[in-house]
Amino acid sequence: MKNIFLVGMPSSGKSTLGKRLARQLGYRFVDTDKLVIQQEGGRSINDIFRTDGETYFREVENRVLRTIQPDSRLVVATGGGMPCFHDNMAYIKTAGFSIFLDVSPEQLLERMQRHSQDDRPLFKRQDPTLLENLRQKYTDRRNFYLQADLTVSGETAVEELGRQIEPYLQS
């Protein structure tokens, strides 16, 4: 059965929805951010960005993505920027079925402000320009995300999403 890759901005619900979807489908759930942390000996993503920079982080992320084999019955929550570097979106499309969780920058801001941890290196909760930064990143990344096989609202219920993608998983 095909892997399912969830793409979208940070706080779009990839991990939350991904865990529920994996349970519903009988798949395993994988979060590429967690795999990067594991690959880097437990260092946080913020620490990787701070000490080695975004370029290094994107290279590690790329290597981690390519360890995911097609047809492994995985629901994969990708990092927000992952589809935008190293032809990762092309790999995602060959390794499974991709879903863009489309959430407005305004909703992302609300979610980030409710989130207890400030663990997003490109988006700091207390930054007065956070909404402006989210809007710019959303605009910059949207064309990559729109290459996904399916686009859904980040508010889509997992049961509805499961029904929508079921025909694609059989092919």
Side-chain angles (χ1 to χ4, degrees):
M1 296 281 272
K2 287 184 179 180
N3 295 329
I4 300 165
F5 290 86
L6 303 176
V7 301
M9 291 286 289
S11 292
S12 62
K14 298 181 299 284
S15 294
T16 303
L17 186 67
K19 289 174 189 172
R20 292 178 187 153
L21 184 61
R23 258 193 315 274
Q24 179 182 331
L25 298 173
Y27 278 39
R28 283 189 317 121
F29 174 76
V30 175
D31 184 324
T32 60
D33 284 347
K34 301 265 189 286
L35 294 177
V36 166
I37 291 167
Q38 193 175 40
Q39 175 86 27
E40 286 295 301
R43 290 195 307 149
S44 72
I45 291 173
N46 277 335
D47 186 44
I48 297 166
F49 263 75
R50 189 173 38 259
T51 58
D52 298 304
E54 183 175 6
T55 300
Y56 176 80
F57 172 77
R58 298 299 178 194
E59 290 167 1
V60 174
E61 201 177 44
N62 177 52
R63 286 195 306 270
V64 162
L65 175 64
R66 278 156 175 72
T67 66
I68 297 171
Q69 297 300 308
D71 302 321
S72 299
R73 295 180 58 98
L74 298 174
V75 174
V76 182
T78 64
M82 181 180 270
C84 310
F85 296 88
H86 302 289
D87 290 323
N88 287 341
M89 195 63 198
Y91 183 81
I92 287 168
K93 288 180 66 67
T94 63
F97 183 79
S98 53
I99 303 169
F100 168 32
L101 299 183
D102 193 4
V103 177
S104 74
E106 292 76 15
Q107 288 175 297
L108 295 170
L109 177 67
E110 285 178 29
R111 292 176 181 189
M112 285 182 180
Q113 290 176 332
R114 284 194 314 256
H115 190 65
S116 60
Q117 292 180 302
D118 207 8
D119 58 355
R120 312 219 186 275
L122 298 178
F123 305 105
K124 298 297 180 193
R125 283 186 316 179
Q126 304 308 320
D127 180 354
T129 63
L130 180 55
L131 181 57
E132 182 181 316
N133 292 342
L134 286 167
R135 285 178 177 148
Q136 186 59 56
K137 281 289 185 205
Y138 178 85
T139 299
D140 294 346
R141 293 176 174 180
R142 195 161 191 274
N143 285 335
F144 290 98
Y145 297 153
L146 286 172
Q147 294 173 41
D149 299 304
L150 178 67
T151 297
V152 298
S153 159
E155 304 300 319
T156 301
V158 70
E159 295 79 16
E160 173 61 24
L161 184 55
R163 281 191 295 277
Q164 285 183 25
I165 65 173
E166 195 66 39
Y168 298 102
L169 300 179
Q170 305 305 321
S171 58

